[in-house]
Amino acid sequence: FKIIQKAKNTRTKRYRKNVDEAYDNLDQIVMFIQDYKKLNEISPQIDDLKYAINNKDYENAISIIDNLFEKLGEISGTEEFANRLDDLISIIDSDNINEDELLKVSSDTFDLFNIENSWRKDANKNLLPELMTYNEVIKNNIGLRRQSKLTKEQAKFVARCNSIHRDVSLNF
């Protein structure tokens, strides 16, 4: 019995972990897409940063990057972009600025921003409504364990299921 019980528990835990991770990924993708507007709002600051770097106004560039860091903390899925900005500020803040390296890193940083902004804009328009519909379908079965609150109907059902007598004598 112990071997069967252990195998059952292991499989149950594995199943729940897989289901929970799948639902968490859906939530995370939806959050990334919904933060498109916040990401788009910093586009003018990105343009100002490009202008400051192109005109070798490095002090202004550093202050712009500092402001961007504050705003990026509120936008989900921007960690890689923040890391690139950190690399950029390291180059700008050094004593001897390598112009070629600065040009390459800044170009990569701005390209990444444009890619992030572009896919989120497209996903917000085309994919988000479908994901929200999908979420509505699965939130009461696959995503049930990850919901922050059960509906009254679900709570009554769970309470009724758990109130059934079960012989647990084999568990000892």
Side-chain angles (χ1 to χ4, degrees):
F1 175 77
K2 286 183 180 180
I3 294 170
I4 294 171
Q5 185 68 23
K6 183 177 179 182
K8 176 194 168 280
N9 288 343
T10 302
R11 286 190 174 89
T12 301
K13 287 178 185 175
R14 196 175 299 151
Y15 169 77
R16 287 179 178 164
K17 182 180 177 187
N18 287 339
V19 169
D20 290 347
E21 285 177 0
Y23 193 75
D24 288 344
N25 288 340
L26 174 66
D27 268 351
Q28 188 177 36
I29 290 169
V30 167
M31 192 169 36
F32 287 175
I33 294 170
Q34 288 175 332
D35 278 355
Y36 152 71
K37 291 176 184 169
K38 291 179 185 176
L39 187 65
N40 197 42
E41 287 174 2
I42 65 170
S43 289
Q45 286 182 298
I46 297 296
D47 293 337
D48 292 344
L49 180 59
K50 284 182 195 176
Y51 183 79
I53 290 173
N54 289 337
N55 291 321
K56 298 181 176 34
D57 185 6
Y58 299 131
E59 289 179 25
N60 189 26
I62 290 173
S63 69
I64 292 171
I65 292 173
D66 287 339
N67 289 334
L68 284 171
F69 278 134
E70 290 176 20
K71 293 183 180 179
L72 287 175
E74 300 171 5
I75 303 171
S76 58
T78 57
E79 293 82 13
E80 186 178 350
F81 180 64
N83 289 340
R84 298 273 178 96
L85 284 176
D86 193 42
D87 295 342
L88 191 59
I89 206 167
S90 295
I91 294 169
I92 293 172
D93 207 24
S94 66
D95 293 334
N96 296 328
I97 297 174
N98 183 341
E99 295 288 330
D100 293 333
E101 186 181 8
L102 177 61
L103 183 63
K104 182 183 179 337
V105 171
S106 65
S107 176
D108 290 346
T109 303
F110 300 137
D111 288 346
L112 178 63
F113 176 79
N114 291 333
I115 290 168
E116 282 289 322
N117 209 17
S118 175
W119 84 259
R120 289 178 192 226
K121 179 181 180 182
D122 185 46
N124 191 47
K125 180 180 176 187
N126 299 320
L127 186 61
L128 187 61
E130 299 296 326
L131 286 176
M132 297 308 278
T133 302
Y134 179 65
N135 186 36
E136 285 298 315
V137 171
I138 69 168
K139 78 176 185 181
N140 291 322
N141 47 49
I142 293 174
L144 186 61
R145 289 169 29 91
R146 290 295 192 201
Q147 297 299 318
S148 60
K149 185 176 178 183
L150 294 176
T151 64
K152 191 169 191 164
E153 178 184 315
Q154 291 167 336
K156 286 180 180 178
F157 179 77
V158 170
R160 187 174 63 240
C161 287
N162 287 336
S163 66
I164 296 171
H165 174 72
R166 190 169 67 172
D167 184 10
V168 294
S169 63
L170 293 174
N171 290 315
F172 299 104

